[in-house]
Amino acid sequence: MIPPNQDQHKIPQVYLRKFGYVDPHQRERISVIHKDEKYTRQKNIESFYAPTNIFDIKSDDPRIPRMFEQLNCDLENEYNNIVGELEASGTLSNKSYAYLLQLIANLIVRSDFWREWVLGMLEHQDKENFLQVVLGHHCKDSNEFMNIKNQPFFRILADSPPIDVVNRVLIYFIDHLMLRLWHYEITFIQSQADKPWFTSTNPVVVHNRTGRFEIFAKESEIYFPLSPSFLAYAHYKGSEDTENPLRTLETNKTHKATDEQNENLQKIIMNNTADFLIIAGEFKFSKA
């Protein structure tokens, strides 16, 4: 029996625990700074960023309503394996590497920033063109792609109120992102001693360079603080942009951050659009 109401975490608890701590009352907590404030708050991991039914899908089919949330849980279950492999060997197996790419796409679509972006596209006059791009990979040939707008599943997404179908579209959006990400390569930057990576409530930083509807052009870059110790940097090797020296690092290897890299990467994380910056461990700060 599916419970009618469920707290669903935008940021996985298993991920937050890596950045959190246990207080004297044995509560799992994290230190955060809201973007409009100049002091830290201590939040309970169990309830942090966990709205009720945020990922539910409207459907009469009992298999469908929690499909998005189940996908989230399945990927979260691989998180500790990914981090454990990096801690043990500084590299990932093919299985964990593949799961990491899927986790990156999953966390992108779970963030408020990308949810609002997709909602904006669904409210735009060109929403049908957007949907055609996002759904197009399901077509078997160019003729089916050109006629996709007449298909019943397409019309449901195009003609329904955006808020009612956004979670369905986000699942398709994950698939669309994966078509790009399978061509990306990942390297890992290890944090300096006593300088753990920050993260945020929009944990995957996307430096995206796009055309009108294009998502993840070959010049785009991704920064993901995988844990306080490891930051995943993903990019497309075939890009003509060679300005970022991180592009030259060996794929699927761990590289220790230099002072300059540490400073630059922490700024990238802090400048990313998010409600809260998350600081590893118990950290209390107030600026007058």
Side-chain angles (χ1 to χ4, degrees), residues 11 35 80-81 116 120-121 152 159 182 215 226 234 263 265:
I11 311 296
K35 63 182 179 180
N80 280 329
N81 294 332
E116 292 301 318
M121 295 304 297
D159 298 335
W182 285 132
I215 307 297
L226 183 57
E263 181 178 359
L265 292 171

Side-chain angles (χ1 to χ4, degrees), residues 76-86 92 95-96:
E76 291 169 16
N77 288 338
E78 295 297 326
Y79 171 77
N80 280 329
N81 294 332
I82 294 170
V83 175
E85 283 188 17
L86 276 179
L92 294 182
K95 176 184 175 182
S96 290

